[in-house]
Amino acid sequence: MNAFEYVAPTSIKDAIAALNPNAKPMGGGIDLVQEIKDEIIAPERVVNLKTIPGLTEIRADNRGVTFGALCTLSAIANHAQVKARFPGIAQAAASVGSPQIRNVGTIGGNLCQRPRCWYYRDHAVNCMKKGGPKCYSVAGENQYHAILGGGPCFIVHPSDLAPALMAYGAQVTIAGPKGEREMDLAEFFVLPSKKVTVENILAADEIVTKVFVPAGTANSAYVKVRERESFDWALASAAVALTISNGVCESAKVVMGGVAPIPWRSPEAEAALKGKKIDDAVALAAGAAAVSKAIPMTQNAYKMHIAKNAVREAVLLAAGLAAG
Ligand SMILES: Cc1cc2nc3c(=O)[nH]c(=O)nc-3n(C[C@@H](O)[C@@H](O)[C@H](O)COP(=O)(O)OP(=O)(O)OC[C@H]3O[C@@H](n4cnc5c(N)ncnc54)[C@H](O)[C@@H]3O)c2cc1C
Ligand code: SF4
């Protein structure tokens, strides 16, 4: 582990001024500190965002809900209005890691956490994501890797919150040297085919300051399938938000986690739901549509079945029907 300078800014402006390509912002520090200890990264400076006041607030009103970037996952999972009005988001936050991780981990850190690929996490392996010559998962151990959107790197995006927030059309606010900008969370994530060394559009001197979720349907759900039930990242997950009128699905958003290098929205699954009365057959058809374009790697075809059934179950839960 390298020695680094520690900076504790008291404003967003000071935090931005302290950031540069050799510095890293820190939320709860769960992922960042592990990366430093494992010698995957060696920043010269760590900028602790927790010393900036006002970034832990959750504000719910008629327009929707705003999460400061330093909100913990526990605060989101336990917030009464989030649970009642945005159940899929509360369920996603509650599904992250263990209670200790949820008490410390922040929404900003959850969205910006680095991939879990074991080649990436091995400091001795210089794969493409670290600027090296090749992706070792292609001919190697790829059972946890992407079935959609992969290439030339085949990570899956590890965030549980991201699919649920995207299903609600969340917007993210980014602060940088030129001020603040807002964008759809869907535009925040970057496929490896565009830029292989990063997972999002943030520059080295930019941070996430808040996430806004517009008011919408309470018919939502997040279903996560994991290998180790006590705490684990998703093998595959599905966030579904439905607008239902007179028993018929007027519109649907379906976003999967754990299957692609970015949270993966499925227009195919959404089309399979729109205009239909939701029942098990329709939910299953949506699940099948969600993986219809998947291309499994040598060891992860099993993920197709898991993702399909995660979508099916999330659709049924969002519609208020018991999973079949
Ligand atoms: C055992 C274990 C199990 C886990 N299980 C899950 C799981 O099931 N689901 C899941 O989603 N995650 C899981 N995690 C990952 C966990 O690290 C994140 O969920 C957590 O939210 C990270 O938050 P943090 O605030 O500690 O991030 P940090 O470690 O502080 O930061 C993570 C990354 O984001 C950057 N960053 C942090 N805040 C900002 C910001 N505001 N703007 C820009 N960049 C920022 C940092 O520079 C760093 O690169 C698990 C972790 C562990 C150790
Ligand atoms: S999947 Fe990505 S992170 Fe993993 S070995 Fe390949 S290039 Fe590296």
Side-chain angles (χ1 to χ4, degrees):
M1 176 171 172
N2 67 304
F4 54 82
E5 180 193 3
Y6 172 77
V7 177
T10 51
S11 70
I12 292 172
K13 199 167 160 234
D14 287 352
I16 300 299
L19 287 169
N20 63 53
N22 296 316
K24 290 282 180 200
M26 181 174 79
I30 296 172
D31 193 31
L32 184 76
V33 173
Q34 197 62 51
E35 281 208 296
I36 297 171
K37 282 166 132 178
D38 291 344
E39 299 183 348
I40 300 164
I41 56 171
E44 290 169 6
R45 178 184 289 168
V46 168
V47 180
N48 185 3
L49 305 180
K50 280 184 303 193
T51 50
I52 305 171
L55 290 182
T56 56
E57 197 188 354
I58 300 180
R59 202 174 58 249
D61 56 27
N62 291 342
R63 289 176 55 243
V65 60
T66 305
F67 300 105
L70 273 289
C71 284
T72 64
L73 302 163
S74 291
I76 296 169
N78 295 321
H79 193 276
Q81 289 222 40
V82 177
K83 283 190 348 193
R85 293 170 58 194
F86 309 92
I89 294 174
Q91 290 159 14
S95 82
V96 172
S98 61
Q100 292 90 336
I101 285 160
R102 293 194 291 277
N103 285 342
V104 174
T106 64
I107 183 171
N110 188 268
L111 296 176
C112 300
Q113 62 178 298
R114 302 305 311 273
R116 303 307 308 174
C117 170
W118 34 38
Y119 299 108
Y120 171 78
R121 293 277 160 178
D122 183 338
H123 73 95
V125 177
N126 187 30
C127 72
M128 245 182 199
K129 186 158 273 302
K130 298 179 201 160
K134 66 188 235 186
C135 171
Y136 292 90
S137 80
V138 174
E141 297 292 326
N142 54 40
Q143 54 265 51
Y144 300 127
H145 288 71
I147 55 172
L148 284 157
C153 157
F154 292 84
I155 59 152
V156 294
H157 200 280
S159 169
D160 280 307
L161 267 184
L165 291 167
M166 265 174 62
Y168 269 101
Q171 284 153 8
V172 64
T173 301
I174 294 166
K178 292 184 186 150
E180 282 194 340
R181 59 189 169 126
E182 274 177 29
M183 63 170 56
D184 283 347
L185 186 58
E187 307 299 320
F188 178 72
F189 299 103
V190 174
L191 276 169
S193 54
K194 284 215 176 122
K195 192 169 180 189
V196 72
T197 51
V198 297
E199 294 82 49
N200 59 56
I201 50 95
L202 288 179
D205 55 1
E206 289 184 318
I207 58 168
V208 172
T209 54
K210 61 186 172 201
V211 178
F212 171 69
V213 183
T217 173
N219 284 109
S220 71
Y222 184 71
V223 169
K224 170 177 174 179
V225 182
R226 54 196 136 179
E227 198 164 41
R228 181 175 44 184
E229 264 305 306
S230 53
F231 64 94
D232 218 338
W233 287 266
L235 291 172
S237 67
V240 170
L242 305 174
T243 307
I244 297 174
S245 178
N246 296 324
V248 173
C249 174
E250 278 187 345
S251 69
K253 279 244 189 110
V254 178
V255 186
M256 290 182 284
V259 294
I262 58 173
W264 194 259
R265 187 166 171 195
S266 174
E268 298 84 8
E270 293 169 5
L273 295 167
K274 195 173 173 192
K276 305 270 171 52
K277 186 173 182 306
I278 306 294
D279 59 19
D280 192 37
V282 169
L284 194 54
V291 294
S292 57
K293 296 205 170 142
I295 302 175
M297 300 175 79
T298 52
Q299 299 174 347
N300 67 5
Y302 75 97
K303 277 194 168 200
M304 307 247 307
H305 304 288
I306 291 179
K308 181 171 76 177
N309 281 303
V311 170
R312 171 196 184 194
E313 196 177 332
V315 168
L316 291 172
L317 285 170
L321 305 168

